[in-house]
Amino acid sequence: MRLQNVRVMGPTGLSLPTSIEVDAPGAVDRDASGLILSPGWLDLHAHLRDPGFPAKETLQSGATSAAFGGFTHVVAMANTDPVTDRPEQVRALIARAAGLPIRMSFVAAVTMGLEGQTLTDAVALQRAGAVALSDDGRHLMDLVTLRRALTAAAEAGLPLLIHAQIERLGDGPESEAAAVTQALEALAAVPRARLHVQHVSTRASVDLIRTAKRQGLPVTAEATPHHLALTAAEVVALGPQGNVNPPLRSVDDREALRQALVEGVIDAIATDHAPHDSGAKAAGANGFHGFETAVPVVMGLGLEDRVLYRACVERPREIIGQSIDEEWILIDPAAEWIVDASSFKSRGKNTPFSGRRLRGRIVMTLCRGQVVMERVMQHA
Ligand code: DOR
């Protein structure tokens, strides 16, 4: 397929309009004036609820939603039912994912049942195809267990992803800082281990991670679109709809995250896509739908295009050691739309952006050289 007059997003930002041939046999040529072609975004952090919670999401509904959101590759967390803590489960998930419109990778649990006690078999999970280990959603490991987990992950050559919260300390900034401090301490004691801090939400965490990076520790970090865009003040009116873990923080925390992204202290943007059915959400469940609002929310942050490329295309793949396979997205950066959750392809309609006017929309998604989503644009 030939795209005419398109701007291409790459490591140095956006190029001038050019014509480009994209390997998608059978797809029709098009004038892409005003559009941006970006390598498909990879989301390092998604809850796909499969197996166990089909009212919230399935691999199929999650993959379709991701394609509409501009993600050609998503990484599923292990807090399913049953928890992904055994190699045969990883193999079964990978087999099921082969038929999906986008690519999917799987994280396996660090501890059996996410209970923070007995370690899973990291080497066997890696051999089965897991790309990382994480107990995300929980963090029950003490320092000794964390050190043993990092040792096992290092032996398996996998990064350890942590949900940085000491549960008994609640979900305030000090709980997150204590968890980051503990994990960095464990990391410093384990040769060849790699640590990735999930959904960083505070200035204090950013400062700890910056210092650790300066000391040469192999730590990486992610922030979510909602922590980068919103603050606690803005979601008060949402009631239970505003519940998320970690909670939305202060303006100062949000500014620290944005600055850290520019510096590269925060490596990646990851959605923490956490779909819930309406009953669970009304009853207080934590988490937001992430996929279908991420691109415009992130583009609305006013970051340089080279920073977006690094945080959404390049670093997420480096962190889990994945290459790109004919994955592209075509974005209309000028398209404005009002978020109507009922139109989401995801089963999770729980968004804090409901009713907001966003700018930027995915026009087309290609994965493995196939067009997997094409939106008919109203104003085109
Ligand atoms: O808000 C959240 N929801 N944070 C998490 O860490 C877990 C997630 C979920 O699984 O719903």
Side-chain angles (χ1 to χ4, degrees):
M1 170 181 52
R2 173 155 289 273
L3 294 170
Q4 273 124 29
N5 306 316
V6 75
R7 287 181 295 159
V8 182
M9 194 182 275
T12 54
L14 280 185
S15 63
L16 293 171
T18 183
S19 288
I20 186 169
E21 196 70 47
V22 173
D23 197 6
V28 289
D29 296 351
R30 60 189 288 164
D31 179 6
S33 300
L35 303 186
I36 297 171
L37 180 70
S38 168
W41 289 16
L42 186 149
D43 190 353
L44 275 179
H45 192 151
H47 296 275
L48 296 175
R49 313 298 193 205
D50 187 346
F53 307 97
K56 295 175 189 265
E57 201 75 290
T58 62
L59 295 192
Q60 183 69 52
S61 65
T64 305
S65 173
F68 271 75
F71 295 97
T72 53
H73 194 157
V74 302
V75 179
M77 291 301 128
N79 65 341
T80 47
D81 184 14
V83 168
T84 313
D85 54 14
R86 288 176 291 115
E88 53 273 29
Q89 290 166 286
V90 175
R91 277 192 287 270
L93 286 165
I94 291 173
R96 288 179 56 211
L100 296 172
I102 58 143
R103 297 175 66 192
M104 219 172 251
S105 293
F106 295 91
V107 163
V110 186
T111 65
M112 296 303 291
L114 312 178
E115 283 173 3
Q117 304 288 324
T118 312
L119 293 186
T120 55
D121 185 342
V123 170
L125 290 163
Q126 186 277 332
R127 288 196 182 131
V131 295
L133 300 173
S134 176
D135 278 358
D136 181 69
R138 308 300 311 269
H139 181 89
L140 292 168
M141 286 177 281
D142 60 17
L143 183 58
V144 174
T145 312
L146 199 49
R147 238 188 258 137
R148 288 177 43 233
L150 280 164
T151 306
E155 270 166 27
L158 294 177
L160 186 83
L161 283 39
I162 61 150
H163 169 110
Q165 176 195 7
I166 306 284
E167 284 191 34
R168 66 186 155 73
L169 298 182
D171 64 6
E174 49 307 311
S175 173
E176 184 171 313
V180 174
T181 303
Q182 187 188 57
L184 291 171
E185 191 184 325
L187 179 66
V190 181
R192 297 189 330 281
R194 283 184 294 143
L195 176 76
H196 174 79
V197 186
Q198 299 179 287
H199 45 51
V200 172
S201 71
T202 67
R203 179 178 289 280
S205 297
V206 163
D207 289 345
L208 288 163
I209 294 164
R210 182 187 294 108
T211 303
K213 284 191 166 191
R214 283 192 184 144
Q215 290 167 348
L217 282 181
V219 59
T220 55
E222 69 185 36
T224 70
H226 47 272
H227 289 107
L228 287 160
L230 304 174
T231 66
E234 289 161 280
V235 293
V236 168
L238 290 171
Q241 283 298 328
N243 288 355
V244 67
N245 186 17
L248 296 170
R249 308 288 193 192
S250 67
V251 173
D252 182 58
D253 288 317
R254 185 184 66 182
E255 294 316 304
L257 294 181
R258 291 183 184 181
Q259 178 57 35
L261 201 52
V262 173
E263 287 174 61
V265 170
I266 300 282
D267 298 80
I269 296 177
T271 67
D272 195 5
H273 177 74
H276 288 291
D277 54 282
S278 56
K281 192 64 194 164
N286 281 324
F288 297 150
H289 166 101
F291 292 151
E292 292 173 64
T293 49
V295 167
V297 168
V298 168
M299 288 181 75
L301 298 173
L303 298 163
E304 283 180 45
D305 293 306
R306 62 173 186 87
V307 174
L308 283 189
Y309 178 87
R310 188 175 71 204
C312 304
V313 174
E314 189 174 50
R315 292 297 290 140
R317 288 184 169 88
E318 287 172 356
I319 289 166
I320 54 161
Q322 294 289 302
S323 56
I324 193 157
D325 176 17
E326 303 295 344
E327 297 163 53
W328 295 101
I329 55 173
L330 200 54
I331 308 167
D332 183 343
E336 296 201 0
W337 57 289
I338 293 173
V339 178
D340 169 11
S342 70
S343 72
F344 286 169
K345 303 296 172 188
S346 167
R347 295 190 181 171
K349 315 294 182 193
N350 47 313
T351 174
F353 299 107
S354 206
R356 286 211 185 201
R357 178 180 290 274
L358 298 181
R359 199 152 188 264
R361 206 136 215 224
I362 305 300
V363 176
M364 190 189 276
T365 301
L366 297 107
C367 191
R368 306 179 187 104
Q370 303 284 320
V371 176
V372 294
M373 186 286 271
E374 190 168 7
R375 198 191 303 269
V376 181
M377 300 299 282
Q378 305 289 310
H379 68 281

